Amino acid sequence: MRMYDLILKKRNGNELTDDELDFIINGYTNDEIEDYQISALLMAIYFKGMNERETAKLTMAMASSGDMIDLSSIGGIKVDKHSTGGVGDKTSLIIGPIVAACNVPVAKMSGRGLGHTGGTIDKMESIPGLKTSLDTEEFFSIVNSIGISIIGQTGNIAPADKKLYALRDVTATVDSIPLIASSIMSKKIAAGSDAILLDVKTGSGAFMKTLDDSIELAKEMVNIGVNTGRDTLALITDMDTPLGFAIGNSLEIMEVVNTLKGCGPKDLTEVSLELAANMLVLAKKGTLDECRILAKNVLENGHAFNKLCDMVEAQGGDISVLNDFSLFEKSPIVANLISDRSGIITYIDAESCGLASVSLGAGRTKKGDDIDYSAGIVLKKKIGDKVNKGDILAELYTSKEDSLKDVKKSMLEAFRIEDRDIKVKNHIYARITKDRVYRMYS
Ligand code: URA
């Protein structure tokens, strides 16, 4: 087989066979095919697309390019959850404990922040002492004893995706639905769960900016999951505005705790409960309505909060911070963002808030940067709120005094304040199963 012929075949809009896709992924993983030829192929895929079979095959080839985790020593149906990434998205740390409190094992590998979006592992590491890198034996033993463990991705999960993603990033081929779908699903499949819930974010702070594109991506990923033997569902949820009030690592942990204690923000609580209920459906705990009740019960009776404490303790973290937020390290500077006009807030741009939070120190601008766990933003107003000139719109936490002036400017631009009322939108737009797309359900 020659790579030249495969590029030509895809460029002309033809299907690649299973053997050809294996040849490409194996050759690229083993450094036998050069970046320039793979770049050309990626661009051909970007323009000509891939059918369902090709996408499923590409996914499996990438999944099996490295370690495939075997979770069979953990009893029960293991359900994984993946969010396509957002701002203020701390749902994994709320849903995991809810699902575990309903006796469904959670053995989850999560990622770090990427660009303007935060990552579960960075958030967890803001808890003093908490380890997110455990060996497999310890990881399984914690899941078997307390029902939940969340750790960082091990080194050799889907190495083909790692190489391809880095190349896509510099060849303008990231936003291709078959390429995103296979990239995400290859890692989920290698992580070994029996079922997968996808939270596909849509809006300014997400990869997919429109609902139609988000639904297309979700359908593609659900098909891949089902075609590779994993029960898979997707929800499409809002990422036009940040989820909850807190953006930044320890600030988000405090909001996770408040939500698990039943006094979290309404949008975050609603989205988390719905995601948890769908994970419980995948774990065969009942109908969607029954699972909604199960999820709500463990939130209300404190069992889910106790699970979070159990997990933090088992992974070496200091649980006293979860009960006394004053024990978290504090930012030296807390500045108020003051409204320069009166009116109703009609929009808060998620991407701008995410970028502002990175500038305050909560994220990385290049690989390996240290992050400031105490930095970030707490919104004081949300869409639909009335504000007067001089009101506080947000608190900015940082140790970087130099960045404050620019951050204040961009954050003021992120708030749209108008002289009109606005109906607050539902945060969940659609549910995608292998057979159907249910739009705007609540
Ligand atoms: N996240 C991934 O892991 N891959 C993509 O292609 C996009 C988002």
Side-chain angles (χ1 to χ4, degrees):
M1 241 178 258
R2 289 194 321 156
M3 195 55 204
Y4 175 92
D5 301 323
L6 305 183
I7 298 169
L8 182 67
K9 194 172 180 190
K10 186 44 80 182
R11 192 203 72 184
N12 291 344
N14 296 314
E15 275 184 46
L16 296 171
T17 67
D18 288 0
D19 285 349
E20 288 165 346
L21 287 162
D22 272 335
F23 170 83
I24 293 164
I25 295 303
N26 291 338
Y28 191 46
T29 310
N30 300 330
D31 296 326
E32 288 155 13
I33 302 175
E34 298 289 346
D35 280 355
Y36 57 84
Q37 287 194 303
I38 298 292
S39 302
L41 179 76
L42 289 170
M43 193 57 83
I45 294 174
Y46 182 91
F47 282 112
K48 299 294 179 181
M50 280 185 139
N51 66 20
E52 236 178 71
R53 181 202 51 78
E54 288 176 290
T55 312
K57 178 63 208 178
L58 176 64
T59 307
M60 284 316 283
M62 291 202 292
S64 47
S65 66
D67 297 342
M68 298 281 271
I69 309 287
D70 177 4
L71 296 180
S72 60
S73 64
I74 299 168
I77 301 177
K78 275 78 64 185
V79 186
D80 201 354
K81 171 248 169 197
H82 179 84
S83 157
T84 56
V87 179
D89 180 8
K90 68 274 294 170
T91 54
S92 286
L93 292 168
I94 300 168
I95 301 162
I98 292 178
V99 170
C102 296
N103 298 317
V104 172
V106 176
K108 183 163 169 48
M109 288 187 191
S110 287
R112 295 188 182 277
L114 186 69
H116 67 280
T117 66
T120 301
I121 294 301
D122 292 331
K123 293 171 208 202
M124 288 174 72
E125 288 178 353
S126 72
I127 299 175
L130 194 145
K131 287 183 290 177
T132 56
S133 169
L134 303 178
D135 62 38
T136 317
E137 218 169 283
E138 204 178 350
F139 176 50
F140 288 179
S141 139
I142 294 175
V143 180
N144 276 326
S145 60
I146 64 160
I148 176 168
S149 180
I150 303 179
I151 58 169
Q153 209 164 283
T154 65
N156 203 30
I157 292 274
D161 173 63
K162 203 180 249 174
K163 285 188 82 180
L164 279 174
Y165 193 87
L167 200 55
R168 285 165 58 209
D169 209 17
V170 292
T171 54
T173 50
V174 169
D175 53 338
S176 146
I177 289 177
L179 294 178
I180 296 177
S182 54
S183 160
I184 291 175
M185 292 305 286
S186 63
K187 287 171 287 208
K188 292 288 108 183
I189 287 165
S193 64
D194 305 302
I196 302 164
L197 176 69
L198 300 160
D199 177 10
V200 179
K201 300 287 183 196
T202 190
S204 86
F207 271 110
M208 292 286 123
K209 308 288 182 200
T210 69
L211 181 58
D212 284 345
D213 280 351
S214 306
I215 289 177
E216 266 325 294
L217 175 63
K219 279 165 66 179
E220 191 98 26
M221 291 196 287
V222 169
N223 279 336
I224 296 173
V226 171
N227 288 339
T228 52
R230 270 82 172 170
D231 228 354
T232 309
L233 280 176
L235 293 189
I236 312 282
T237 66
D238 182 72
M239 195 33 70
D240 248 345
T241 67
L243 191 55
F245 292 98
I247 306 158
N249 301 293
S250 63
L251 299 170
E252 293 195 41
I253 292 290
M254 296 181 221
E255 195 162 82
V256 163
V257 169
N258 287 338
T259 306
L260 287 171
K261 286 185 168 174
C263 49
K266 188 167 175 289
D267 57 348
L268 177 63
T269 306
E270 276 175 16
V271 170
S272 301
L273 281 173
E274 196 59 19
L275 288 165
N278 277 279
M279 277 182 83
L280 293 171
V281 168
L282 287 167
K284 311 227 181 301
K285 285 284 174 184
T287 63
L288 184 53
D289 280 340
E290 288 163 351
C291 290
R292 284 179 175 140
I293 294 169
L294 287 177
K296 198 155 175 274
N297 283 347
V298 296
L299 190 77
E300 286 173 358
N301 64 20
H303 291 176
F305 176 62
N306 293 340
K307 274 291 169 208
L308 176 74
C309 296
D310 292 347
M311 177 182 80
V312 168
E313 198 163 34
Q315 295 187 205
D318 176 5
I319 56 168
S320 57
V321 296
L322 305 181
N323 289 304
D324 180 357
F325 295 159
S326 70
L327 298 174
F328 272 113
E329 202 178 305
K330 285 183 201 55
S331 274
I333 303 168
V334 184
N336 290 328
L337 181 75
I338 304 290
S339 181
D340 54 2
R341 69 222 107 119
S342 299
I344 307 283
I345 298 178
T346 55
Y347 184 63
I348 307 171
D349 185 70
E351 186 169 20
S352 308
C353 293
L355 290 169
S357 168
V358 172
S359 303
L360 293 171
R364 300 177 185 80
T365 46
K366 58 183 189 322
K367 215 173 142 197
D369 273 357
D370 281 338
I371 53 178
D372 173 358
Y373 292 118
S374 63
I377 300 167
V378 176
L379 302 174
K380 291 289 158 186
K381 302 283 178 191
K382 292 279 270 186
I383 292 183
D385 286 348
K386 187 172 178 322
V387 286
N388 291 313
K389 187 171 171 183
D391 282 354
I392 300 174
L393 295 173
E395 289 170 349
L396 312 175
Y397 293 76
T398 191
S399 58
K400 296 161 89 177
E401 188 146 25
D402 330 349
S403 61
L404 266 179
K405 192 164 163 244
D406 286 348
V407 166
K408 281 189 176 175
K409 184 170 177 293
S410 65
M411 279 299 291
L412 272 182
E413 285 165 7
F415 279 83
R416 195 182 301 148
I417 299 174
E418 296 179 276
D419 289 328
R420 65 178 175 96
D421 269 335
I422 181 158
K423 189 171 172 296
V424 179
K425 286 188 299 187
N426 187 355
H427 308 290
I428 302 163
Y429 298 134
R431 178 175 192 253
I432 284 99
T433 69
K434 68 178 172 17
D435 310 310
R436 263 191 78 173
V437 174
Y438 302 79
R439 279 191 186 237
M440 294 300 289
Y441 90 113
S442 61

